[in-house]
Amino acid sequence: MGILRSIRSGLRALGDKSSRNREIDDELQSFLDESIAEKTRRGMSPEAALRSARAEIGSAASVRQKVWHAGWESTADTLARDLVYTGRRLRRSPGLVLVVVLSIGLGIAANATVFSIVSKFLLSGIPVGDPSTLITLYRTYERGQCCNELPFPVYRDLREQAKSFSSVAAYEDILPASLSGPIEPERIWGQAASENYFDVAQVRMAAGRGFAASEHRAPVIVLGYGLWKQRFGGDPAIVGKSINVSGHPYMVVGITPRGFHGLDQILDPQFWIPLGKMSEISLLPTSEEARNNQWIRVAARLKPGITQTRAAQELDVIAQRLIKAHPDTDKDDGFHIEPVNSVPPSFKKPLYLFLTALSGVALLVLLIACANVANLLFAHGSERQREMAVRIALGATRVQLLRQLLIESLLLSLSGGILGVLLSLWATFALSSFRLPGPTMMDLAVHVDGHVLLYAFLLSLFAGLLCGFAPAWAASRPLMPNALKGEEALARPGHRFSLRSLLVVVQITFSVVLLSGTVLFLRSLSSAANIDVGFHSRGLVMMSINPQLHRYTPERSVQLLRTARQSIASLPGVLSASTTDSVPLSMGGRSDGLEVPGRPKPKASDSVDLYMAGPNYLSTLGIPLLAGRDFGEENAGGPIVAVVNQEFVHKFFQDASPLGHIVKGPHVTYQIVGVVKDIRSRTLGENQRPILYRSLDRTLASDASFDGYTLMARYEGDSTALIAAMQHEIHALDPSLAIFNIQTMEDHMRDALFLPRLVGMLFTVFGTSGLLLSVIGLSSVMSYAVSRRTREIGVRMAMGARASQVQALFLRGGMRLALISVALGVPLALAAARLTTSLLYGIQPWDPVTFILVPALLVLVSLLACWLPSRRASHVDPIAALRMD
């Protein structure tokens, strides 16, 4: 209460200083009267008592000053006056303010943008109760190798045996479904969860409730907040109503809160159904009792007072118990604990390395910006040396001067931070437009949240101190005789390098590193875009359907796909049409271990990528046929035919002809009828993988596709009109079918370039910012040198120096700095480039073009930055220069 009264009193005093001074005068007069009365009682005359009391107390002005300085409001008042003074000073230098705010803004924007990614994947929480006690469990294998999901029986064992948890929940994290209704059918992604899932997570529903304990197999559904808003307009009356999900009625019992995307960091489920109803929607058969079928995710809530370390110790005991009870399936298996909503362990290391590299680059941009700002503030402080000397001569202390100069740099830095946050808002919006080529719903959007704002604020303060303290310290300590005569203290005659020159060298050196990285990644992006993927991406339209989500049997699915393909093939402008289960470069797909009878068995790690292919698949996708034939209308009673790629032939047949040979899989046998050119199967940067294409009509029944089937059409003409026509033909066969993943192959290829595009864009922004800041820094140093040496230039020209000689004098000084910087920067850039090998496509980290182009570019840009000020120096009027004070 005392503190609050002090604050209120101080605020009143700051708001009405005259009233506060009257109160002080009244108190002073009261004290003076009491002192006089006391002295009079002791026998002093009234005049002597008055003189004595005034001598003890002092003047009214000095008392008021002591009272003001005793409270916090004095400090606040002083800071306010300093801010007002700083504002007036900065208004006189709009050019300085603009350059400094822009420089700091670019540095803060780079760091805030990168930190928004860090916040998204490492710091952001989820709307669950007490997240510190909610954990995710994984299964380890081969004595600690991490990590797998859990078999359902192991989940049941944990639920029954673990005493460290108050409750344990399970869920299947990826579950496709079809949502029908009065508007267009839609394919959605969701999860199947145990009935205690929302209780374990302690989720506060936006409407309705979670699952009840008796609803393990009940037809109920919880909608995600986004789906509720987009599909149902946010209508709260939807709770209690029935909706059609994959041909089955489900009653909506709840709506999750805004921002809840399950317990995973990246996935974006749109609904939840009870785990017991998963087999009704899931396309993949799940054997719940198989202890070697690792398919379920597990989350648990720690009991009060139980730490993760203690829970891990108990899990080790349970793991040993399960190994003894089930040695055939649980041998060498254990458990691994992760905090809820953390990045999956398999992605942690590459993600941390990627974010660490980006953060380092962003900090490099900020360091360049700080060096540039420090240079400008040194110049600004040098111009104020005489002012500082005069103020010290008039009684100002160096501490006061230092405080005012630091406030100036902090104010500029915070203004730059505001600009940086605004730029970061645009940058994060651009980053959120990137999407992965995989079919699963993912939440990759990044935003400027509270963590980012706090980080930007702290970084702005740090930048203000970093780039402002040294200039403020130097400016507040002028050499009085020199300063009063107008001589600069920062750059002495005869010194080859000043501190400002050193800062320019640092700027350009770091810019060499940044620009080298930028050019490397841009050349990598160009190389990736020109990689021979093995098929023709132009003139190809794709869209997907999933008949099984609409209760189609395998036989009906084959017939539907055949009829749809034939209908699309007959459309105007269509050259050929086919079907497949997975489009190349989708970052995933089926793979399996195969062997050829009579030939050496491949290693366990030599899995083969599998694609289902309909008639005319090779001609539609544009994969060159090297031997044999394409897929056609295969005979239902004949062998299951397959086509293999060159890598398959090399690995399994040592480049001998495979035509007519048999290939055996775990559950099916194929006969090879063709050989095709290699293609990029999963990602652009992968090593070539062996591929087997098998007949879709013959394998659909025994190996249903999780993500449905894609209809492809090679065409001539307008893709927009063809897409509309293809959708019409599909809905003519079944209006309830949800059509998804509608895009051209070129759009799909753009998504496949996700990583090189992302890194290329970030480095382009960072590298351009670094180059711009370096040019500004070098140009400002040269301009300052010209302004400080104007009298010298006048003397030289008066004594006969030509304009070209004066210009050459400044060009040599500037280019010396640039060449030293390039010489230092190139080795650093080469060393940094070695760390980027895994992110480059088709070029080496020591790419000759990059390390010839970047130094040459920086030398040319530096030459331009030096030429403009040197040209101004060569046009100085000698008479005017000699008359300068």
Side-chain angles (χ1 to χ4, degrees):
M1 293 298 292
I3 295 176
L4 291 177
R5 282 197 298 270
S6 174
I7 292 175
R8 284 197 295 267
S9 174
L11 292 175
R12 282 199 305 270
L14 289 172
D16 189 358
K17 294 182 181 178
S18 60
S19 176
R20 179 62 181 274
N21 285 331
R22 284 195 300 271
E23 291 177 3
I24 296 173
D25 289 342
D26 292 342
E27 292 178 7
L28 178 63
Q29 186 62 45
S30 175
F31 182 80
L32 184 64
D33 291 343
E34 291 178 2
S35 179
I36 292 173
E38 177 65 24
K39 293 179 184 299
T40 302
R41 283 194 299 269
R42 292 178 181 177
M44 295 179 69
S45 65
E47 295 78 6
L50 175 62
R51 287 194 300 270
S52 176
R54 284 181 173 174
E56 290 176 358
I57 297 173
S59 67
S62 64
V63 171
R64 281 197 298 269
Q65 187 176 15
K66 290 178 181 178
V67 173
W68 273 103
H69 287 174
W72 65 267
E73 57 269 21
S74 173
T75 302
D77 185 54
T78 301
L79 290 176
R81 284 189 278 106
D82 285 345
L83 284 172
V84 172
Y85 174 77
T86 300
R88 288 202 304 267
R89 285 285 315 174
L90 293 178
R91 279 201 301 271
R92 301 174 196 168
S93 307
L96 173 73
V97 173
L98 177 64
V99 174
V100 170
V101 170
L102 180 60
S103 299
I104 295 294
L106 290 173
I108 297 297
N111 284 273
T113 301
V114 172
F115 195 77
S116 66
I117 304 176
V118 175
S119 177
K120 163 72 177 181
F121 294 107
L122 302 181
L123 301 179
S124 296
I126 55 176
V128 299
D130 194 9
S132 63
T133 62
L134 188 59
I135 61 171
T136 304
L137 294 176
Y138 294 91
R139 196 82 186 273
T140 61
Y141 59 95
E142 294 180 1
R143 297 180 181 178
Q145 296 294 315
C146 191
C147 286
N148 285 326
E149 295 170 343
L150 275 68
F152 192 85
V154 174
Y155 154 66
R156 189 169 55 238
D157 293 336
L158 285 176
R159 188 178 58 190
E160 295 171 354
Q161 300 181 30
K163 306 302 181 185
S164 297
F165 309 124
S166 58
S167 52
V168 182
Y171 61 99
E172 166 61 40
D173 57 349
I174 302 177
L175 184 65
S178 173
L179 182 61
S180 303
I183 57 177
E184 186 79 13
E186 182 181 357
R187 196 279 301 271
I188 56 176
W189 289 95
Q191 296 182 339
S194 59
E195 60 274 18
N196 64 340
Y197 175 83
F198 294 105
D199 295 329
V200 171
Q202 297 179 6
V203 176
R204 292 186 175 182
M205 294 292 177
R209 60 173 176 83
F211 301 136
S214 59
E215 291 179 335
H216 179 65
R217 298 187 182 276
V220 294
I221 187 170
V222 172
L223 300 180
Y225 189 90
L227 181 65
W228 176 53
K229 283 288 188 180
Q230 295 165 12
R231 183 79 182 192
F232 303 100
D235 180 12
I238 191 67
V239 177
K241 293 182 179 180
S242 181
I243 61 174
N244 190 298
V245 180
S246 295
H248 302 276
Y250 280 79
M251 186 179 73
V252 178
V253 296
I255 310 295
T256 62
R258 183 198 297 270
F260 181 78
H261 303 289
L263 304 181
D264 298 280
Q265 184 62 262
I266 299 176
L267 297 179
D268 187 18
Q270 298 164 289
F271 70 90
W272 287 261
I273 63 170
L275 197 58
K277 298 292 288 184
M278 186 182 70
S279 58
E280 188 174 73
I281 293 180
S282 177
L283 306 179
L284 301 178
T286 301
S287 177
E288 290 191 359
E289 297 306 317
R291 296 190 70 90
N292 58 354
N293 185 12
Q294 303 178 112
W295 62 277
I296 201 166
R297 302 287 297 275
V298 172
R301 175 74 64 177
L302 292 170
K303 287 182 178 179
I306 301 296
T307 64
Q308 289 191 19
T309 302
R310 182 173 171 183
Q313 292 171 350
E314 184 190 17
L315 289 174
D316 289 341
V317 174
I318 294 175
Q320 295 302 317
R321 190 184 303 154
L322 295 180
I323 290 174
K324 292 179 180 179
H326 309 278
D328 294 337
T329 56
D330 292 29
K331 184 180 179 181
D332 295 332
D333 290 345
F335 297 100
H336 176 76
I337 293 179
E338 286 286 339
V340 71
N341 203 36
S342 63
V343 178
S346 57
F347 295 120
K348 268 191 175 182
K349 185 176 180 180
L351 179 63
Y352 285 177
L353 288 175
F354 179 68
L355 292 179
T356 301
L358 281 184
S359 299
V361 173
L363 286 173
L364 200 61
V365 176
L366 183 61
L367 288 176
I368 294 174
C370 287
N372 187 42
V373 171
N375 240 333
L376 294 171
L377 293 180
F378 267 123
H380 190 55
S382 298
E383 294 171 356
R384 299 175 62 184
Q385 289 286 289
R386 178 179 291 182
E387 173 198 342
M388 296 296 150
V390 171
R391 291 177 66 182
I392 290 174
L394 292 175
T397 66
R398 286 185 168 88
V399 173
Q400 291 174 324
L401 299 181
L402 179 64
R403 184 187 66 227
Q404 288 184 346
L405 292 170
L406 282 178
I407 288 175
E408 183 177 305
S409 66
L410 287 173
L411 188 60
L412 288 170
S413 181
L414 289 174
S415 301
I418 294 173
L419 175 62
V421 169
L422 294 176
L423 292 173
S424 184
L425 287 171
W426 168 81
T428 52
F429 176 80
L431 287 176
S432 297
S433 64
F434 284 81
R435 64 181 296 269
L436 292 170
T440 307
M441 286 289 293
M442 296 185 182
D443 178 24
L444 300 178
V446 292
H447 307 284
V448 176
D449 57 14
H451 293 120
V452 178
L453 292 176
L454 178 61
Y455 180 74
F457 173 72
L458 296 176
L459 203 60
S460 298
L461 292 179
F462 171 75
L465 292 173
L466 179 65
C467 62
F469 184 80
W473 181 272
S476 65
R477 280 161 172 71
L479 297 176
M480 298 296 289
N482 304 66
L484 291 172
K485 291 187 293 183
E487 294 180 0
E488 183 188 356
L490 297 178
R492 306 293 186 199
H495 284 216
R496 295 182 64 85
F497 281 94
S498 66
L499 181 57
R500 302 191 69 229
S501 298
L502 181 61
L503 289 173
V504 169
V505 170
V506 171
Q507 281 182 268
I508 301 178
T509 300
F510 287 166
S511 290
V512 172
V513 179
L514 271 181
L515 272 181
S516 298
T518 300
V519 175
L520 271 177
F521 285 115
L522 288 179
R523 282 180 48 77
S524 172
L525 177 59
S526 175
S527 176
N530 294 321
I531 286 176
D532 181 12
V533 294
F535 54 86
H536 302 308
S537 60
R538 285 184 175 273
L540 193 63
V541 162
M542 308 176 296
M543 59 182 61
S544 302
I545 59 176
N546 201 334
Q548 286 106 323
L549 294 181
H550 299 265
R551 307 177 74 175
Y552 273 66
T553 63
E555 293 75 17
R556 284 187 64 208
S557 296
V558 169
Q559 183 59 43
L560 173 69
L561 292 171
R562 181 183 295 119
T563 305
R565 176 184 57 80
Q566 292 171 349
S567 299
I568 291 171
S570 64
L571 291 173
V574 174
L575 304 178
S576 65
S578 188
T579 52
T580 185
D581 64 330
S582 179
V583 177
L585 299 178
S586 293
M587 300 183 65
R590 282 293 313 276
S591 62
D592 218 333
L594 304 177
E595 60 180 83
V596 178
R599 293 187 174 269
K601 290 185 178 181
K603 300 176 183 177
S605 59
D606 290 340
S607 61
V608 176
D609 288 353
L610 302 176
Y611 289 89
M612 292 184 187
N616 304 318
Y617 173 84
L618 301 178
S619 59
T620 301
L621 199 53
I623 301 176
L625 183 65
L626 303 180
R629 65 175 179 87
D630 197 348
F631 293 96
E633 301 291 348
E634 305 300 336
N635 184 359
I640 300 176
V641 300
V643 173
V644 297
N645 69 337
Q646 294 168 289
E647 181 66 18
F648 186 98
V649 174
H650 174 74
K651 187 165 300 247
F652 288 88
F653 292 93
Q654 291 72 51
D655 296 326
S657 174
L659 297 181
H661 283 266
I662 298 297
V663 177
K664 287 188 175 182
H667 307 292
V668 67
T669 299
Y670 307 99
Q671 183 178 34
I672 298 176
V673 298
V675 178
V676 295
K677 181 181 176 181
D678 289 333
I679 69 167
R680 299 288 179 175
S681 178
R682 300 190 176 193
T683 64
L684 286 167
E686 69 186 9
N687 294 324
Q688 189 58 59
R689 304 172 65 92
I691 301 173
L692 182 140
Y693 306 90
R694 61 241 178 96
S695 171
L696 183 147
D697 293 353
R698 300 295 307 282
T699 55
L700 185 149
S702 61
D703 193 7
S705 171
F706 180 72
D707 190 41
Y709 304 91
T710 299
L711 293 155
M712 304 182 297
R714 184 160 294 282
Y715 69 96
E716 290 181 346
D718 180 26
S719 62
T720 304
L722 177 59
I723 288 172
M726 291 173 66
Q727 289 177 290
H728 180 269
E729 292 296 329
I730 293 172
H731 281 154
L733 297 173
D734 186 346
S736 69
L737 284 173
I739 303 175
F740 52 94
N741 292 348
I742 302 172
Q743 60 180 168
T744 65
M745 179 60 81
E746 290 175 307
D747 292 334
H748 177 71
M749 291 287 292
R750 191 175 300 111
D751 293 339
L753 290 168
F754 169 82
L755 186 58
R757 284 176 58 220
L758 174 64
V759 176
M761 187 192 82
L762 290 173
F763 268 83
T764 298
V765 174
F766 296 163
T768 304
S769 300
L771 178 62
L772 177 63
L773 292 171
S774 296
V775 170
I776 293 173
L778 181 58
S779 181
S780 68
V781 165
M782 298 307 301
S783 296
Y784 180 75
V786 171
S787 66
R788 298 300 297 175
R789 299 176 65 181
T790 301
R791 181 186 291 272
E792 176 192 341
I793 295 169
V795 171
R796 287 176 179 269
M797 298 187 74
M799 297 184 65
R802 296 189 300 274
S804 59
Q805 292 175 318
V806 172
Q807 189 169 4
L809 173 68
F810 287 95
L811 277 176
R812 282 196 301 272
M815 292 309 296
R816 181 172 65 248
L817 297 179
L819 292 174
I820 291 173
S821 303
V822 169
L824 293 173
V826 169
L828 290 176
L830 283 167
R834 293 175 62 87
L835 304 176
T836 65
T837 304
S838 61
L839 298 175
L840 298 177
Y841 295 81
I843 62 171
Q844 297 297 328
W846 50 87
D847 177 50
V849 174
T850 298
F851 289 99
I852 291 174
L853 177 65
V854 169
L857 176 63
L858 273 169
V859 168
L860 288 176
V861 171
S862 300
L863 182 62
L864 178 63
C866 296
W867 179 77
L868 293 175
S870 66
R871 185 174 181 274
R872 181 163 62 87
S874 66
H875 287 77
V876 168
D877 182 1
I879 297 177
L882 291 172
R883 287 177 177 172
M884 291 181 62
D885 291 333

